[in-house]
C-alpha cells in the first residue's frame, strides 16, 4: 500500500523536487521558502549539488562496475544522490531512518517495484558506506573514520 505525502510537510519530498529541478531542468535559481525544516532542506540540497561528483564516484565504487547509474530513471537518480549524501555527511542520522524516509518519500514519485529496488540499493550503499572501514569526507582534505 502506497502512502502519499503532502510535499509541503515532508522535507525529503521537497529535497527531491529541488534537486530534480537543479540536475535535470537546470534551474539555477533555487529558492527555499519558509518551512520548519528549511535549514535541513537547504543543507541537503546544496550539499548534494556541491558534492555531486564525489557522490557519483562513491555510488560507482560501492555498487560495482555492473551498475549503470545513468540507466536509472531521473527521479530515481535524484533520490539515490540525496540519500547517499545523507549517508556520507550526516553520521548523526541512522541508516535506517535515512532509508525509511527516502522510501516513504519515493512513494510520491515511484512505482512499488522501483521502491523495492531503491530499498535494496540504499541498504547496500548504506552498509558499505557506514561500515567500520568507511571514511566520511567532510571536504577534499579533511576526513574522519566512523567507528
Amino acid at each position: 500500500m502506497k502512502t502519499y505525502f503532502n510535499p509541503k510537510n515532508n522535507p525529503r519530498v521537497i529535497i527531491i523536487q529541488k534537486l530534480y529541478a537543479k540536475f535535470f531542468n537546470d534551474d539555477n535559481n533555487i529558492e527555499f521558502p519558509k518551512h520548519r525544516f528549511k535549514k535541513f532542506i537547504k543543507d541537503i540540497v546544496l550539499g548534494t549539488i556541491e558534492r555531486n561528483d564525489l557522490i557519483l564516484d562513491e555510488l560507482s565504487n560501492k555498487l560495482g562496475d555492473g551498475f549503470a547509474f545513468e540507466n536509472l530513471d531521473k527521479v530515481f537518480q535524484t533520490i539515490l544522490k540525496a540519500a547517499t549524501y545523507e549517508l556520507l555527511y550526516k553520521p548523526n542520522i541512522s541508516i535506517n531512518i535515512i532509508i525509511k524516509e527516502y522510501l516513504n518519500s519515493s512513494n510520491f514519485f515511484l512505482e512499488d517495484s522501483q521502491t523495492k529496488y531503491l530499498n535494496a540499493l540504499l541498504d547496500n550503499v548504506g552498509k558499505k558506506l557506514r561500515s567500520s572501514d568507511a571514511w566520511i569526507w567532510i571536504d577534499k582534505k579533511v576526513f574522519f573514520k566512523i567507528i
Side-chain angles (χ1 to χ4, degrees):
M1 178 171 84
K2 280 194 164 192
T3 307
Y4 294 96
F5 291 93
N6 182 346
K8 292 181 181 178
N9 296 328
N10 189 317
R12 287 180 176 84
V13 170
I14 297 169
I15 289 167
I16 294 164
Q17 291 172 331
K18 299 286 183 191
L19 288 172
Y20 185 90
K22 176 63 179 172
F23 289 134
F24 301 107
N25 293 335
D26 202 28
D27 185 4
N28 292 324
N29 187 19
I30 300 175
E31 295 180 11
F32 298 95
K34 186 176 179 179
H35 190 280
R36 70 183 207 188
F37 296 112
K38 180 179 178 177
K39 184 179 177 191
F40 176 76
I41 293 167
K42 190 174 182 180
D43 181 40
I44 302 301
V45 169
L46 296 178
T48 303
I49 292 167
E50 181 181 319
R51 293 176 175 92
N52 185 47
D53 293 337
L54 178 70
I55 291 168
L56 291 175
D57 288 344
E58 284 295 325
L59 285 171
S60 72
N61 288 341
K62 301 302 182 213
L63 296 175
D65 296 333
F67 182 75
F69 183 79
E70 57 279 347
N71 291 343
L72 295 174
D73 179 70
K74 291 180 179 181
V75 174
F76 200 100
Q77 290 178 17
T78 304
I79 295 169
L80 200 52
K81 286 179 186 180
T84 302
Y85 174 83
E86 281 195 52
L87 290 166
L88 283 169
Y89 297 102
K90 298 294 180 187
N92 55 334
I93 304 174
S94 82
I95 295 172
N96 295 336
I97 291 174
I98 293 170
I99 292 172
K100 180 180 177 235
E101 290 295 323
Y102 279 102
L103 289 177
N104 287 339
S105 299
S106 72
N107 288 330
F108 190 75
F109 305 102
L110 303 174
E111 298 293 324
D112 283 337
S113 61
Q114 290 176 306
T115 302
K116 290 176 184 175
Y117 183 54
L118 178 65
N119 184 19
L121 283 177
L122 289 177
D123 188 52
N124 188 359
V125 170
K127 286 177 182 175
K128 289 180 180 177
L129 287 175
R130 296 270 181 105
S131 71
S132 61
D133 297 328
W135 293 85
I136 302 295
W137 293 88
I138 303 302
D139 62 22
K140 293 181 181 176
K141 297 178 184 175
V142 180
F143 58 89
F144 66 92
K145 186 174 183 177
I146 296 179
I147 300 174

